[in-house]
Amino acid sequence: MKKYQYLLFDLDGTLTDSKLGITTCVQYALEKMGRKIPPIEELLCFIGPPLIASFQEYCNMNLEEAKQATVFYRERYAVKGLFENKVYSGIPEVLEKLKQAGYVLAIATSKPEEYLIRILDHFHLRDYFTTISGSGLLGERNSKTEVIKDALCQLAVWKEEKGKEIEQKRKESYYYREKKAEETIWQGVKQTAIMIGDRYHDIEGAKNCGIDFLGVHYGYAEPEELKAAGAVYEVDTVEDVGKFFVD
C-alpha cells in the first residue's frame, strides 16, 4: 500500500451522522415549494451530494426550482438543522490517533463553509484539521471536484509556508485561497493524498483530482454503490478507518 500523508475527509456520513437535520430540512423545502413530502427514509439520498443537483435529480426540479428549494432548505438548516446532527462514535479518537501518527488532516465537503465551521466548532472537531474546504453559499465550489481541488491547493500552500510567519487572521480561518496556488504546486500533495467519504460523488471528485479514495460503509451509500463507483479501498467501521492508516 502506498504511503499517504494528507487525509481529506468528507463530513456528512463520514464524520457526522446528519440524517435528521438534512432530511427534515428537505421536507421543509419541499413543503414550501408545494411538493409532495416523502418520509425521511426516502430522503437519505440527499445526504452528501450538492443540494441543487439533488433537488433536480430526485425531485424532478429544473435549475431555477432547485435553487429556490435550496434557499428554503437553508432557512431551516441555518437555524436548527445543522445541529440536528451527531458525531459518529469513535471519530474524535480516530482523528487524534491519525494526527498523533503524523498525518495532515483536511476536510473537503459539499456543505457550505459557513455551516461547516459552526458544526466543527459546536462538536469541538475543528482543531484536528489543518485546512477546511466546503462550498460557498453563492454557488462557489459547487461540485465535489472543485471542493477537493480547493482543499489540495490549501494544503499545497500550507506545505510551502509551514514554519513561516502567517497572519493571525489566516491562522484562525485556515484559508489560504488568496495565494491562488496553481495545479503545478499540488503535485507533492496529490501524490500522497487520499479522500475519505461515503458516497459516489466523493469518488468521482477524487478521481477527477487524481487522488485515491477510501470508502466507508457506515455512512449513507447504497449497497454496492462505492464498489460500482470505483472505490480504491473500502472499510466497514469508524475504527477501521484508524486501522487502515495506523497499525
Side-chain angles (χ1 to χ4, degrees), residues 1 27 34 68 72 77 87 143 150 165 181 186 228 244:
M1 184 184 301
Q27 289 179 324
Q68 183 58 61
F72 288 143
Y77 191 83
V87 178
S143 73
D150 183 70
E165 187 72 23
W186 301 1
F244 183 86

Side-chain angles (χ1 to χ4, degrees), residues 11-12 16-25 73-87 111 113-125:
L11 181 69
D12 297 323
T16 68
D17 182 354
S18 50
K19 171 183 174 179
L20 180 62
I22 290 176
T23 55
T24 53
C25 289
Y73 173 98
R74 289 173 177 166
E75 282 181 356
R76 185 182 186 281
Y77 191 83
V79 176
K80 187 175 182 180
L82 77 169
F83 297 133
E84 293 174 325
N85 196 356
K86 60 184 179 181
V87 178
K111 187 176 296 299
E113 281 180 2
E114 179 177 319
Y115 304 149
L116 168 61
I117 291 170
R118 291 171 64 189
I119 291 168
L120 293 178
D121 286 343
H122 179 77
F123 291 115
H124 308 291
L125 295 178

Side-chain angles (χ1 to χ4, degrees), residues 179-216:
K179 298 294 290 188
K180 299 188 183 300
E182 298 293 335
E183 184 168 355
T184 53
I185 206 176
W186 301 1
Q187 300 310 311
V189 170
K190 287 174 64 174
Q191 299 306 314
T192 56
I194 186 170
M195 179 72 205
I196 303 158
D198 71 311
R199 296 299 310 277
Y200 70 91
H201 71 291
D202 296 317
I203 299 176
E204 292 176 351
K207 284 182 176 179
N208 291 339
C209 293
I211 65 174
D212 284 345
F213 179 80
L214 171 65
V216 300

